[in-house]
Amino acid sequence: MTVQDFETAARTRLDPVHADFIAGGAGDEITVRANEEAFRRLRLLPRVLRGSAVRTQEVTVAGSRARTPVLLSPTAFHKLCDEEGELATARAAAAAGAIMIVSMASTVAVEDIAEAARGAGADGAPAPLWFQLYLQPDLEFTEALVRRATDAGCTALVVTVDSPVRGAHERDLRNGFLDLPDGLRCAHMVDPHEGGRVRSIAMSPEISWAHLDWLRGITSLPILLKGVLHPEDARLAVRHGADGLLLSNHGGRQLDTVPATVELLPEIRAAVAGRVPVVLDGGVRRGTDVVKALALGASAVGIGRPVMWALAEGGEKGVRRLLELLREEVDQALALCGACGVQDLTPDLVRAPAWGPPPLPLPGADTARPGGVVS
Ligand SMILES: Cc1cc2nc3c(=O)[nH]c(=O)nc-3n(C[C@H](O)[C@H](O)[C@H](O)COP(=O)(O)O)c2cc1C
Ligand SMILES: CCCCC(=O)C(=O)O
């Protein structure tokens, strides 16, 4: 019945160590909880008598058209949840017309995921696939991977920039979950030049804006930055040619105690001033969460853990059901808000507690947003 039900069901099927890997976050998991709590604290203020009989959920983000504003954020290791792994996920996403962001740490290669998605797209239309990248200090390797994703038909790159080092996942440390089980590997990290040796993904503190400039120079695909939280970095991202932001705190898995993403959305939107789309992920569990984020200016929202739970609970069918459920809930919320589609969702439909920017103005920041009503 609900997105949260998938977690309960999945836990009866998953190795508890793997369930902890999925559910867990960094440190005290303060940010993990904050993401969901922030959505619960927001209130919707609907409009009436607007004639909202015909409703659509279509969106276009960074040039990719989708039948739903809910996209699949990149999550690693789908074969922990289902034998078919990312193939099952891709078929379900394609059937729903949802954008799937393939993780660089996927257990199936992007070429095979693309083929599965092509076979399952509704109305013969290819479902958009994006590719998530951790920029590797080995630029030759990174460039080869970008080519692979491009040749496989991915229509955007999502560069994760919140991981100069890996977050401290204490559940995994306690459980001794430090490596993939035998037989599973990161499909993109197998090096054909080195006899099939599997490289590890480097989370590298040396990565800087210069690397982004380099990436901008080698690809014409749209580039979205995932994990920008500071408004000044949002401005810098635009200046460095980013085509969009995925406003994310990695589901609370990197720096603990950062704010909930939906709390930051108005500030980040103000910083980019409409120049690039902002997608949000973190804690989206209900159709009303989707509507709140869209009303506050997100172009789409991503879900991470729910996809893993649904995959563990019912494979491809599970993920299909998850996406259907969210479609139904979003449709219901749109109707009740008097909206025919995403374009009708405006900030006045949301009442927010007084979050607001820090007490001292940021240099150059737009500080004209008082607490209270978001407008
Ligand atoms: C099990 C798991 C694996 C993840 N793997 C990746 C990854 O490979 N790359 C990445 O950029 N983000 C990764 N993330 C973060 C997600 O893309 C996303 O930001 C987060 O899960 C959204 O929050 P939610 O789980 O509350 O929906 C992962 C998250 C989880 C839970
Ligand atoms: C190298 C795997 C990265 C997975 C990840 O990003 C996460 O677990 O949050």
Side-chain angles (χ1 to χ4, degrees):
M1 289 266 305
T2 72
V3 169
Q4 218 48 53
D5 288 342
F6 283 100
E7 174 170 355
T8 315
R11 280 181 182 277
T12 65
R13 291 174 187 250
L14 276 170
D15 178 333
V17 169
H18 299 159
D20 261 356
F21 162 69
I22 295 165
D28 295 311
E29 301 184 349
I30 287 168
T31 296
V32 176
R33 288 188 295 276
N35 280 340
E36 288 187 28
E37 283 164 11
F39 275 113
R40 282 195 212 114
R41 286 204 305 272
L42 291 172
R43 300 285 180 262
L44 282 168
L45 200 63
R47 300 297 305 267
V48 297
L49 298 171
R50 296 204 142 193
S52 52
V54 182
R55 294 179 297 278
T56 166
Q57 296 188 27
E58 247 181 50
V59 292
T60 299
V61 191
S64 295
R65 223 172 105 196
R67 279 194 283 124
T68 158
V70 178
L71 57 79
L72 286 74
S73 278
T75 47
F77 314 148
H78 287 195
K79 281 193 178 178
L80 287 178
C81 297
D82 177 82
E83 260 180 13
E84 290 196 295
E86 288 81 0
L87 297 178
T89 317
R91 285 190 210 111
I99 295 169
M100 171 176 174
I101 310 179
V102 175
S103 167
M104 175 165 170
S106 62
T107 42
V108 176
V110 64
E111 295 84 357
D112 299 329
I113 296 172
E115 197 182 313
R118 268 195 300 275
D123 350 316
L129 279 187
W130 293 357
F131 190 81
Q132 177 262 327
L133 199 62
Y134 289 108
L135 287 168
Q136 301 295 285
D138 181 343
L139 294 183
E140 221 175 291
F141 179 85
T142 305
E143 183 165 359
L145 197 50
V146 169
R147 295 274 159 262
R148 278 181 70 178
T150 310
D151 293 345
C154 293
T155 53
L157 297 172
V158 176
V159 181
T160 302
V161 293
D162 61 12
S163 306
V165 297
R166 200 150 181 221
H169 297 184
E170 289 169 17
R171 297 200 209 200
D172 296 344
L173 294 172
R174 285 183 214 280
N175 292 332
F177 181 63
L178 304 170
D179 244 324
L180 277 173
D182 285 347
L184 298 192
R185 58 187 194 179
C186 284
H188 300 116
M189 302 310 287
V190 181
D191 198 329
H193 304 301
E194 293 188 46
R197 181 178 75 95
V198 183
R199 296 173 170 232
S200 25
I201 295 180
M203 307 259 169
S204 176
E206 69 197 74
I207 298 300
S208 72
W209 290 106
H211 291 82
L212 184 69
D213 296 339
W214 166 83
L215 181 69
R216 189 64 293 172
I218 65 150
T219 181
S220 51
L221 286 182
I223 298 172
L224 290 91
L225 294 194
K226 176 172 186 279
V228 165
L229 297 177
H230 198 292
E232 201 51 51
D233 283 338
R235 273 186 276 273
L236 275 171
V238 173
R239 235 175 282 151
H240 282 267
D243 301 286
L245 298 179
L246 205 174
L247 174 56
S248 171
N249 52 35
H250 217 114
R253 293 162 78 85
Q254 284 300 113
L255 180 63
D256 193 23
T257 77
V258 303
T261 45
V262 74
E263 282 181 56
L264 292 173
L265 182 55
E267 254 181 287
I268 294 290
R269 282 275 307 164
V272 304
R275 279 169 296 189
V276 296
V278 177
V279 178
L280 172 144
D281 79 16
V284 175
R285 301 293 181 265
R286 283 284 188 184
T288 45
D289 298 341
V290 178
V291 163
K292 286 168 183 174
L294 297 176
L296 291 174
S299 298
V301 299
I303 48 172
R305 291 179 183 86
V307 174
M308 299 293 272
W309 300 131
L311 192 60
E313 188 273 329
E316 177 186 340
K317 244 177 91 187
V319 181
R320 274 180 188 248
R321 177 66 196 132
L322 169 75
L323 295 171
E324 264 168 34
L325 184 64
L326 279 167
R327 165 171 286 281
E328 288 159 14
E329 286 193 0
V330 169
D331 184 59
Q332 167 95 350
L334 284 175
L336 290 171
C337 285
C340 298
V342 167
Q343 70 286 351
D344 297 334
L345 297 172
T346 43
D348 54 291
L349 301 182
V350 180
R351 285 281 160 100
W355 287 328
L360 290 175
L362 297 163
D366 175 7
T367 51
R369 188 170 69 86
V373 182
V374 171
S375 58

